[in-house]
């Protein structure tokens, strides 16, 4: 039987939940759903974090960087929408 470490299981669940939320919100609000769901100030901050992380990770040679803003939002942000 496959054994998975708790941290890995939690990260996998978190990614799956973010993907589900992103898909549902994109279907409801369209491609720019972040502007529809989050207050402007929060959307700008989330996009800034995404750009900063993307720059940092690509400089280190990371091949895959999440493009969804939701990947960079905190769960308290998600619960508020």
């Amino acid at each position: 039987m496959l054994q998975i470490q708790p941290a890995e299981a939690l990260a996998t669940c978190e990614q799956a939940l973010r993907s589900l939320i992103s898909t549902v919100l994109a279907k409801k609000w369209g491609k720019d759903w972040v502007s529809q769901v989050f207050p402007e100030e929060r959307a700008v901050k989330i996009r800034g974090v995404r750009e900063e992380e993307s720059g940092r990770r690509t400089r280190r040679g990371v091949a895959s960087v999440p493009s969804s803003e939701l990947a960079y939002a905190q769960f308290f942000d998600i619960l508020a929408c």
Side-chain angles (χ1 to χ4, degrees):
M1 181 162 76
L2 177 66
Q3 295 267 325
I4 187 168
Q5 296 297 315
E8 186 178 353
L10 181 60
T12 301
C13 289
E14 181 181 341
Q15 290 171 355
L17 182 58
R18 288 176 187 268
S19 178
L20 175 64
I21 291 169
S22 182
T23 299
V24 169
L25 292 176
K27 284 183 180 179
K28 181 175 182 176
W29 297 102
K31 186 177 180 180
D32 191 31
W33 61 265
V34 172
S35 297
Q36 302 293 321
V37 173
F38 293 112
E40 182 62 25
E41 178 182 308
R42 222 33 232 150
V44 168
K45 185 168 184 170
I46 290 168
R47 287 179 175 136
V49 170
R50 179 187 64 183
E51 290 171 15
E52 181 180 318
E53 281 293 311
S54 178
R56 185 177 312 139
R57 290 178 184 187
T58 53
R59 279 194 304 273
R60 290 188 321 202
V62 176
S64 177
V65 179
S67 61
S68 169
E69 286 94 344
L70 199 57
Y72 303 96
Q74 300 295 320
F75 269 109
F76 62 83
D77 291 323
I78 298 166
L79 292 173
C81 61

